[in-house]
Amino acid sequence: MTQYLLSIYQPDGPVPEPEALAKIMGELQVVNEEMQAAGVWVFAAGLHPPETATVVKAARGEVLVTDGPFTEGKEHLGGFTVIEAEDLDAALHWARKMAAVLEPLPIEVRPFQG
Protein backbone atom coordinates (compact mmCIF):
# COMPACT_ATOMS: atom_id res chain seq x y z
CA MET A 1 0.00 0.00 0.00
CA THR A 2 1.19 3.49 -0.83
CA GLN A 3 0.45 6.65 1.11
CA TYR A 4 -0.92 9.58 -0.89
CA LEU A 5 -1.18 13.26 -0.03
CA LEU A 6 -4.50 14.81 -1.07
CA SER A 7 -3.78 18.55 -1.02
CA ILE A 8 -6.66 21.05 -0.97
CA TYR A 9 -5.93 24.36 -2.70
CA GLN A 10 -8.18 27.32 -2.06
CA PRO A 11 -8.22 30.85 -3.43
CA ASP A 12 -6.73 33.67 -1.39
CA GLY A 13 -9.35 35.94 0.14
CA PRO A 14 -12.26 35.62 2.51
CA VAL A 15 -13.57 32.24 3.59
CA PRO A 16 -17.21 31.32 2.94
CA GLU A 17 -19.89 32.58 5.31
CA PRO A 18 -20.19 30.47 8.52
CA GLU A 19 -23.42 28.76 7.41
CA ALA A 20 -21.95 27.74 4.06
CA LEU A 21 -18.65 26.67 5.64
CA ALA A 22 -20.45 24.56 8.25
CA LYS A 23 -22.31 22.69 5.49
CA ILE A 24 -19.09 22.06 3.55
CA MET A 25 -17.20 20.89 6.64
CA GLY A 26 -20.08 18.58 7.58
CA GLU A 27 -20.01 16.99 4.13
CA LEU A 28 -16.23 16.69 4.27
CA GLN A 29 -16.53 14.94 7.65
CA VAL A 30 -18.82 12.37 6.01
CA VAL A 31 -16.12 11.65 3.38
CA ASN A 32 -13.47 11.42 6.14
CA GLU A 33 -15.65 8.92 8.00
CA GLU A 34 -16.08 6.89 4.78
CA MET A 35 -12.30 6.82 4.37
CA GLN A 36 -11.87 5.76 8.00
CA ALA A 37 -14.45 2.97 7.59
CA ALA A 38 -12.65 1.80 4.42
CA GLY A 39 -9.33 1.72 6.30
CA VAL A 40 -7.55 4.19 3.97
CA TRP A 41 -7.61 7.34 6.14
CA VAL A 42 -4.32 8.12 7.90
CA PHE A 43 -4.45 11.81 8.85
CA ALA A 44 -6.12 15.09 7.85
CA ALA A 45 -5.67 18.72 8.85
CA GLY A 46 -6.71 22.21 7.91
CA LEU A 47 -4.16 25.01 7.92
CA HIS A 48 -4.30 28.59 9.17
CA PRO A 49 -4.27 31.30 6.46
CA PRO A 50 -1.02 31.79 4.51
CA GLU A 51 -0.22 35.07 6.26
CA THR A 52 0.45 33.01 9.43
CA ALA A 53 3.30 31.16 7.67
CA THR A 54 6.98 31.62 8.40
CA VAL A 55 9.56 30.60 5.80
CA VAL A 56 13.09 29.46 6.69
CA LYS A 57 15.55 29.35 3.77
CA ALA A 58 19.30 28.68 3.71
CA ALA A 59 21.51 30.27 1.07
CA ARG A 60 25.30 30.60 0.96
CA GLY A 61 25.73 29.58 4.59
CA GLU A 62 23.13 32.04 5.92
CA VAL A 63 19.63 31.21 7.10
CA LEU A 64 16.91 33.75 6.38
CA VAL A 65 13.58 33.73 8.25
CA THR A 66 10.69 35.67 6.71
CA ASP A 67 7.01 36.11 7.54
CA GLY A 68 4.34 35.07 5.10
CA PRO A 69 3.98 32.35 2.50
CA PHE A 70 6.88 31.03 0.43
CA THR A 71 5.31 32.28 -2.80
CA GLU A 72 2.83 35.00 -3.60
CA GLY A 73 -0.05 33.56 -5.52
CA LYS A 74 -3.78 33.55 -6.04
CA GLU A 75 -4.29 30.33 -4.10
CA HIS A 76 -2.74 28.49 -1.19
CA LEU A 77 -2.65 25.12 0.50
CA GLY A 78 -5.64 25.20 2.82
CA GLY A 79 -5.53 21.65 4.17
CA PHE A 80 -4.66 18.08 3.37
CA THR A 81 -5.51 14.45 3.93
CA VAL A 82 -3.09 11.54 3.97
CA ILE A 83 -4.50 8.20 2.84
CA GLU A 84 -3.08 4.74 2.25
CA ALA A 85 -4.35 3.18 -0.97
CA GLU A 86 -3.62 0.19 -3.20
CA ASP A 87 -2.75 2.38 -6.18
CA LEU A 88 -3.30 5.75 -7.84
CA ASP A 89 -6.76 4.75 -9.08
CA ALA A 90 -7.88 4.02 -5.52
CA ALA A 91 -6.42 7.34 -4.30
CA LEU A 92 -8.20 9.18 -7.13
CA HIS A 93 -11.48 7.59 -6.04
CA TRP A 94 -11.20 9.36 -2.67
CA ALA A 95 -9.92 12.59 -4.24
CA ARG A 96 -13.02 12.65 -6.46
CA LYS A 97 -15.26 12.37 -3.40
CA MET A 98 -13.41 15.24 -1.72
CA ALA A 99 -13.52 17.36 -4.90
CA ALA A 100 -17.28 16.86 -5.17
CA VAL A 101 -17.71 18.23 -1.63
CA LEU A 102 -15.20 21.07 -2.03
CA GLU A 103 -16.23 22.19 -5.53
CA PRO A 104 -14.63 24.19 -7.19
CA LEU A 105 -11.42 23.66 -5.17
CA PRO A 106 -8.77 21.44 -6.80
CA ILE A 107 -7.39 18.40 -4.99
CA GLU A 108 -3.79 17.48 -5.87
CA VAL A 109 -2.95 13.78 -5.44
CA ARG A 110 0.72 12.84 -4.90
CA PRO A 111 2.29 9.61 -3.68
CA PHE A 112 4.85 9.66 -0.88
CA GLN A 113 8.29 8.35 -1.75
CA GLY A 114 9.53 5.10 -0.29
Side-chain angles (χ1 to χ4, degrees):
M1 296 269 265
T2 301
Q3 288 189 338
Y4 291 87
L5 177 66
L6 309 181
S7 301
I8 303 163
Y9 289 92
Q10 61 190 68
D12 287 342
V15 296
E17 294 295 322
E19 299 82 24
L21 189 57
K23 180 180 183 303
I24 292 166
M25 296 309 290
E27 292 174 1
L28 186 57
Q29 182 59 33
V30 169
V31 174
N32 285 339
E33 290 169 0
E34 285 180 40
M35 287 189 275
Q36 290 169 355
V40 301
W41 189 88
V42 176
F43 175 71
L47 300 172
H48 285 280
E51 59 269 12
T52 65
T54 303
V55 177
V56 180
K57 183 177 180 182
R60 291 182 235 105
E62 305 244 353
V63 177
L64 179 64
V65 178
T66 57
D67 292 334
F70 175 64
T71 59
E72 295 292 329
K74 295 182 180 178
E75 63 183 21
H76 61 273
L77 180 63
F80 61 89
T81 299
V82 176
I83 63 170
E84 193 163 59
E86 286 289 326
D87 54 27
L88 179 59
D89 288 336
L92 291 173
H93 165 78
W94 295 107
R96 284 184 184 96
K97 286 184 167 274
M98 288 177 63
V101 168
L102 298 172
E103 183 182 342
L105 304 182
I107 310 298
E108 179 183 295
V109 179
R110 292 179 71 181
F112 282 91
Q113 292 183 355

